[in-house]
């Protein structure tokens, strides 16, 4: 870990996925990251801020399950046979 940032590999370990999946999230704009490589470098060197990881995790947490509203149908009127 690098203080306030993580490598894509470290994020992948935390989330139990592949580094490639983390890179896809970065490229798709789902996960905020910045490139620390020098200008003109052939490969990016991504760093992911910890607060971006935490925000992503919070956004992906399922909402607390709300109990389904219990609805009852009104009783059907009885048909009278003549």
């Amino acid at each position: 870990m690098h203080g306030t940032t993580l490598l894509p590999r470290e994020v992948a370990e935390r989330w139990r996925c592949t580094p490639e999946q983390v890179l896809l999230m970065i490229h798709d704009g789902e996960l905020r990251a910045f490139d620390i490589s020098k200008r003109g470098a052939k490969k990016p060197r991504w760093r992911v801020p910890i607060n971006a990881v935490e925000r992503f995790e919070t956004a992906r947490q399922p909402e607390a399950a709300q109990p389904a509203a219990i609805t009852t149908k009104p009783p059907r009127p009885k048909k009278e046979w003549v």
Side-chain angles (χ1 to χ4, degrees):
M1 189 149 70
H2 302 277
T4 59
T5 62
L6 298 172
L7 297 168
R9 174 181 44 81
E10 294 169 326
V11 176
E13 288 172 7
R14 178 174 174 149
W15 290 347
R16 295 187 184 122
C17 66
T18 65
E20 290 77 16
Q21 288 172 307
V22 174
L23 291 172
L24 281 174
M25 289 180 223
I26 292 170
H27 290 293
D28 290 345
E30 294 180 62
L31 182 62
R32 189 170 57 88
F34 55 92
D35 181 7
I36 64 164
S37 64
K38 293 185 179 185
R39 200 174 279 175
K42 293 182 181 181
K43 290 177 72 177
R45 293 175 55 198
W46 294 107
R47 296 297 182 268
V48 184
I50 290 176
N51 62 359
V53 172
E54 291 169 348
R55 253 189 260 127
F56 186 89
E57 290 170 346
T58 301
R60 290 288 179 115
Q61 285 180 352
E63 298 275 333
Q66 298 293 324
I70 299 173
T71 57
T72 57
K73 294 181 181 179
R76 294 170 90 187
K78 292 184 178 181
K79 292 185 179 180
E80 294 185 26
W81 297 94
V82 185

